[in-house]
Amino acid sequence: GAVVSQHPSWVICKSGTSVKIECRSLDFQATTMFWYRQFPKQSLMLMATSNEGSKATYEQGVEKDKFLINHASLTLSTLTVTSAHPEDSSFYICSASLGGRWYEQYFGPGTRLTVT
Amino acid sequence: EDKVVQSPLSLVVHEGDTVTLNCSYEVTNFRSLLWYKQEKKAPTFLFMLTSSGIEKKSGRLSSILDKKELFSILNITATQTGDSAVYLCAVFNNAGNNRKLIWGLGTSLAVNP
């Protein structure tokens, strides 16, 4: 149980284009989903917390107009990197929690984004 | 400022050795401490600890929490090459509008045959 999927697993895009990453909870309803990014040899950095049906809460320093998050259903959240630049290249990981149990998060397999 | 500190940052051992990974924390409103294993992809869940002194065990892995001294250890006995990974410790800060996991930098474990 508690399986989270992400799509795509890797993507290469050109500078200036937008990329959408999907995060799905497969066998449970995720009221809250989280988006992280991870640079090589660094730990996870929380970008935003996404609650179903409401606007995402972004961490300080994360541009909400650049990283658009939509959480339209209890099993799907999407992250769109708009007008991507090479510095946006990173490993993006989503996680989901069961009900209000934010302290127990289950992670998707991650999406490797490379912007050329 | 909330922080989670893991030690050592990296470790190289031989198969069969036992290793102990450390995680200390200073977090405003502690709710739980979690251990994850990260190989090439996203972290996979190992343990969640909320109470002091109660060992969690799964096969060759075990973990315990000390809420008085603010640390946790993760033990791996009879290590195998498949245990090679980064082990991440995270503590959940349950403080009102700022609820989130605070992550350590991880311990990179390499198990040589």
Side-chain angles (χ1 to χ4, degrees), chain B residues 76-96:
Chain B
I76 308 175
T77 59
T79 52
Q80 302 171 355
T81 54
D83 295 327
S84 298
V86 174
Y87 290 83
L88 294 167
C89 173
V91 175
F92 190 78
N93 182 345
N94 203 28

Side-chain angles (χ1 to χ4, degrees), chain B residues 8-12 85-87 105-110:
Chain B
L9 288 180
S10 66
L11 192 55
V12 181
V86 174
Y87 290 83
L105 289 176
T107 293
S108 177
L109 173 65

Side-chain angles (χ1 to χ4, degrees), chain B residues 13-19 60 76-81 83 109 111:
Chain B
V13 300
H14 291 291
E15 268 192 314
D17 288 351
T18 294
V19 297
R60 296 176 294 102
I76 308 175
T77 59
T79 52
Q80 302 171 355
T81 54
D83 295 327
L109 173 65
V111 181

Side-chain angles (χ1 to χ4, degrees), chain A residues 1-114:
Chain A
V3 179
V4 177
S5 71
Q6 264 182 259
H7 179 81
S9 56
W10 59 270
V11 58
I12 302 172
C13 71
K14 291 187 176 178
S15 191
T17 62
S18 295
V19 174
K20 180 185 282 188
I21 302 170
E22 292 186 351
C23 176
R24 293 181 186 272
S25 56
L26 298 184
D27 53 359
F28 66 100
Q29 293 187 327
T31 313
T32 306
M33 289 184 171
F34 306 84
W35 286 96
Y36 294 86
R37 67 188 295 184
Q38 186 178 34
F39 292 106
K41 299 194 186 302
Q42 293 190 23
S43 195
L44 280 73
M45 184 195 83
L46 180 65
M47 299 174 67
T49 301
S50 164
N51 287 299
E52 183 264 337
S54 61
K55 289 183 180 179
T57 302
Y58 289 80
E59 293 297 299
Q60 196 171 9
V62 178
E63 299 174 59
K64 56 183 70 176
D65 293 331
K66 180 166 185 64
F67 298 101
L68 300 178
I69 292 171
N70 183 282
H71 192 165
S73 78
L74 285 170
T75 59
L76 173 64
S77 176
T78 60
L79 167 68
T80 302
V81 183
T82 62
S83 186
H85 291 291
E87 57 265 30
D88 298 323
S89 299
S90 187
F91 191 46
Y92 291 87
I93 311 171
C94 74
S95 69
S97 62
L98 293 160
R101 295 160 59 104
W102 289 20
Y103 49 86
E104 188 175 345
Q105 295 179 22
Y106 296 89
F107 287 83
T111 297
R112 174 87 45 205
L113 170 63
T114 302

Side-chain angles (χ1 to χ4, degrees), chain B residues 1 3 23 28 37 43 46 50 70 74 78 90 95 98 100 102:
Chain B
E1 183 184 337
K3 61 181 179 181
C23 176
T28 316
K37 177 183 182 182
L46 294 176
T50 55
L70 307 183
L74 174 69
N98 198 33
K100 62 182 175 184
I102 311 295

